[in-house]
Amino acid sequence: MKAKRAISLFLAASMVIGMTACGSSGSQPSASTSTGTPEQAEEEAASSGEVPVLRLATALHTEQTVALEDLWFFKHLEKKFNVKFELEDLGDDPQSRISNFFLADDLPDLVWMPLNTTDAMTYGVGEGMLLDWTPYMNEETMPNLMKALEDYPDALIASTTPDGKVYSLPYIRGPIYANNTGAFSGSIRMNINKEWLDAVGLEKPTTLDEFLDVARAFKEKDPGNVGAELIPVIDNQNKLKDYIWNSLGFYGAGLGSYGFGLAIKNDEIQVPAYSSEAKEFLETLHTMYTEGLVSQDYFTLDSDTMRAKIAAGYVGIFGDSTLQPAENNWEAWDALSPLASDVNDTRVAHVNAGYSIGSYASAKTKYPELIAAITDYMYSDEGGCYYMSGPLKGSEDEVDGNGFWITEDGKVTNSRMEADPVATLTNGNTAWYYIAGRFDHVESYRYELAGAEDPTMYETVTDVLTGKEVELPVTDPSIFDDDNWDHHWRVTQTNAMKDYLTFIVLPSVYLTTEQKETIDDLTTVLDNYITQESAKFIDGSRSLDEFDTYQEELKSMGIEEYRQIYRDAYADFIEATFG
């Protein structure tokens, strides 16, 4: 892994930017010394005693019961930074409101919502409406951010646009044991009825061939005495398709039902549908269809119908986000681990990255350095903890008894939680969860503030591809009580996946307007064609002898251009990751 090199290169580039900025008259805030610059506005406000006013737009997460203007955290920021916020609640459709801001060229000073990559390219790279954070990304101005990026260098790569600028800073949560390992990518969650497995005298499969053997045994021996209703395997949410693709060596992202997606294999960006492995994928599903290992209504069964059949006990193996379809007999089910195959020796599944694209700011703001300071605070232990938990009870930051405390048995609570059993620490404090900031130390910092022993357990996970060992916090040990279907699927997924994980995952990618238009045009043609022809290969209406012809058809339709655009876009990530 060479991702850590990215932060070193960035720091070097930042020094160059900083030195050139001192004598530049460019449009970036830190690079301008002309009359009326943001720096002068901040200096004038400070010298006159004027309190800066910042427009901040965000939304309330679904669990929040307190109005935006009444949240303690913003009052805390106002006091800490001597600032006044004009808060704008984006409501139930924040993206529409944000689109209107861009169209009217009326972006608030700070937006605490994720920035999608299209808007970053259009309004950041193209229109110059977004603040470029890079002039402020240094040890003096944003030390907490720089430490976070040192710990999560891939988050910097994911936040950097092709022009070398950063228009959105990352939300960092970090991987969590039994959430990110138990839930990991969410793409290959397959469950097997272990009572059926015991009845046919087989072990859980470790290869794709063994998986087919188990499905055949369920079909032949009908261990659940289901009769004509028996369906050995159900493919809800396309989990079976992703499971097969993964067994063929593709990882790093959800793969799209018939392989028209992006994945990593052999240290390269691949489109699985356009690969030699695609033939084995189609052969596997063709075998399952013709042998009755999946329903003969495979192409028409909807999710509700599939879940009803699982609940009725007609199914031996199924894919789904959770075990809820089997909640009536959840103890009978176990999760399956990743598989190897004839074309792949490495059993691997990717963990969620632990970060995502976060908040952004207006290039027109009068107070860029103030915004940088506030944002940097969100990467500190105190900032992250206060945003998600509020202040410690009895501390100078507590207002109207809103602080949290640690009970004698080591649990964290507050007055709202004591009065309302469904309340959480975020009630009264947190607006939108996924904003720029660092939140992987929230749990431990609560105990540090309280001077109490931190009971957080940690589990070590070893990346099967890099050998890197990572300690992950167990933030909810009650999961391992394994006493209901929701706990059970997380426990079984964790046990099935923990020895086969990698932290290499494809981040969001930035495309130019021209590239995006090309991708959109190619997607319209290719996605439909791949779905259509895959179905024919699976049901036998098109012979697999025509597979090479099919690949040539995809080539003539532009799939290599599609793949190359993404290979170019991911070039820095691939270089930093694999060298």
Side-chain angles (χ1 to χ4, degrees), residues 179-188 242 246 250-255 262-264 338 347-353 463-465 497 500-506:
N179 285 358
N180 286 45
T181 49
F184 69 106
S185 69
S187 61
I188 56 166
D242 270 355
N246 179 257
F250 298 99
Y251 69 95
L255 299 169
L262 302 174
I264 302 170
R347 302 167 66 190
V348 61
H350 67 272
V351 176
N352 279 337
D463 190 311
V464 295
L465 299 181
M497 298 296 167
Y500 307 102
L501 295 171
T502 182
F503 294 88
I504 300 174
V505 57
L506 289 178

Side-chain angles (χ1 to χ4, degrees), residues 186-370:
S187 61
I188 56 166
R189 298 185 198 167
M190 296 294 293
N191 305 288
I192 190 166
N193 189 311
K194 57 187 178 182
E195 294 176 355
W196 286 24
L197 191 63
D198 291 341
V200 299
L202 294 175
E203 301 290 331
K204 286 204 298 183
T206 61
T207 68
L208 185 57
D209 286 342
E210 291 176 2
F211 177 79
L212 292 177
D213 288 341
V214 170
R216 290 185 180 109
F218 287 174
K219 173 71 173 177
E220 295 166 3
K221 299 182 180 180
D222 188 8
N225 297 313
V226 175
E229 297 288 349
L230 173 64
I231 304 175
V233 184
I234 265 190
D235 184 16
N236 193 31
Q237 301 177 333
N238 294 312
K239 300 295 191 208
L240 172 63
K241 299 183 188 71
D242 270 355
Y243 195 52
I244 296 171
W245 283 122
N246 179 257
S247 75
L248 301 175
F250 298 99
Y251 69 95
L255 299 169
S257 56
Y258 293 105
F260 187 59
L262 302 174
I264 302 170
K265 184 171 183 179
N266 298 328
D267 301 349
E268 282 190 307
I269 299 297
Q270 307 284 0
V271 180
Y274 187 63
S275 67
S276 59
E277 293 87 353
K279 185 172 185 179
E280 187 154 349
F281 169 84
L282 294 169
E283 285 177 338
T284 300
L285 281 176
H286 174 68
T287 296
M288 297 186 75
Y289 185 81
T290 56
E291 293 185 16
L293 307 183
V294 294
S295 171
Q296 294 307 288
D297 297 322
Y298 179 75
F299 301 103
T300 58
L301 280 178
D302 60 56
S303 183
D304 288 342
T305 301
M306 285 190 274
R307 285 177 169 174
K309 291 182 179 297
I310 295 165
Y314 300 154
V315 179
I317 301 172
F318 73 91
D320 204 289
S321 297
T322 71
L323 272 179
Q324 188 170 14
E327 61 180 311
N328 293 330
N329 68 330
W330 57 268
E331 292 171 299
W333 294 87
D334 205 353
L336 290 175
S337 300
L339 303 175
S341 66
D342 291 342
V343 296
N344 169 50
D345 295 329
T346 304
R347 302 167 66 190
V348 61
H350 67 272
V351 176
N352 279 337
Y355 60 84
S356 60
I357 297 174
S359 313
Y360 51 103
S362 170
K364 291 183 176 180
T365 183
K366 295 179 180 179
Y367 307 107
E369 292 187 351
L370 173 60

Side-chain angles (χ1 to χ4, degrees), residues 24-29 31-44 366:
S24 170
S25 58
S27 61
Q28 282 303 318
S32 175
T33 57
S34 60
T35 303
T37 64
E39 288 79 3
Q40 288 179 324
E42 289 184 292
E43 290 174 4
E44 289 171 5
K366 295 179 180 179

Side-chain angles (χ1 to χ4, degrees), residues 46 48 153 212 271 322 398 407 471 528 560:
S48 67
L212 292 177
V271 180
T322 71
E398 184 184 25
T407 64
E471 278 199 340
N528 289 335
E560 290 188 345

